[in-house]
Amino acid sequence: MNTIEKDILKVLISEAELKARVREIGGQIAMDYENKDPLFVGVLRGSFMFFADLMRVCPIPCGLDFLAASSYKNATVSSGVVKIDYDIRSNIAGRHIILVEDILDSGNTLYNLAGHLRDRGAASVALCVLLDKPARREKPIQPNYVGFTVPDEFVVGYGLDYADRYRNLPYVGVLKPEVYA
Ligand code: XMP
Ligand code: MG
């Protein structure tokens, strides 16, 4: 059968490790937000699997919403400007937001999105990322919840893609170099 597994060089974070860590984060958020009725906001599309698993292990009263964003780039430089392709529907004035993203890399995406949500009147905006890749940070930004810190390698799976593929891998892995060629 033609499966996506054949393109994976190595597993970086296994299904079991993901499950255990997501459960810990869900428990931590449940304690921190027990009586705050937080609004979880997932950044599409990369966060979808983490988001769904996190919600299942965070049994407190809460709401959820989604947004989608992309970075403006030209041929030579990444401008660091982020465009919101799809915005949340909820009225967030006075709400405690937990912004959920697959990976924090340069920081441009979450820096801009957090600012956008604060501008709309959120009482607080916390950042919850499955992966943190601090090596390439450009913005002063500190995540509140981190699943795993990863080295400066391009990773796929568990929501993360290369050319919109591999999001459906149940673990986080590194692609074989020939896949990029
Ligand atoms: P910034 O640089 O704004 O990046 O923090 C966040 C977005 O860039 C994508 N990204 C990755 N996607 N593997 C991926 O599949 C990676 O290693 C990777 N690094 C950054 C991701 O979409 C994230 O939302
Ligand atoms: Mg993304």
Side-chain angles (χ1 to χ4, degrees), residues 118-130:
R118 286 190 194 99
D119 290 347
R120 288 181 51 165
S124 67
V125 180
L127 306 178
C128 176
V129 297
L130 177 70

Side-chain angles (χ1 to χ4, degrees), residues 16-107:
E17 289 172 309
L18 287 165
K19 188 172 182 191
R21 185 70 187 120
V22 172
R23 183 171 289 278
E24 285 176 359
I25 296 174
Q28 186 64 53
I29 292 176
M31 284 197 285
D32 295 348
Y33 286 85
E34 187 182 353
N35 296 308
K36 290 185 168 173
D37 187 21
L39 181 71
F40 287 81
V41 175
V43 183
L44 296 172
R45 287 167 287 182
S47 75
F48 83 98
M49 211 177 270
F50 175 43
F51 191 94
D53 286 346
L54 182 65
M55 300 296 305
R56 270 182 272 226
V57 293
C58 190
I60 57 170
C62 65
L64 68 86
D65 208 334
F66 296 95
L67 51 72
S70 50
S71 297
Y72 278 120
K73 284 182 182 161
N74 66 33
T76 49
V77 281
S78 165
S79 65
V81 175
V82 170
K83 175 170 161 283
I84 294 173
D85 299 318
Y86 170 82
D87 208 346
I88 52 170
R89 294 276 186 92
S90 317
N91 175 6
I92 60 168
R95 293 292 301 269
H96 294 284
I97 308 293
I98 302 167
L99 194 51
V100 180
E101 173 63 309
D102 53 1
I103 184 166
L104 177 60
D105 194 349
S106 73

Side-chain angles (χ1 to χ4, degrees), residues 107-125:
N108 285 319
T109 304
L110 286 183
Y111 185 85
N112 282 279
L113 292 180
H116 170 69
L117 296 174
R118 286 190 194 99
D119 290 347
R120 288 181 51 165
S124 67
V125 180

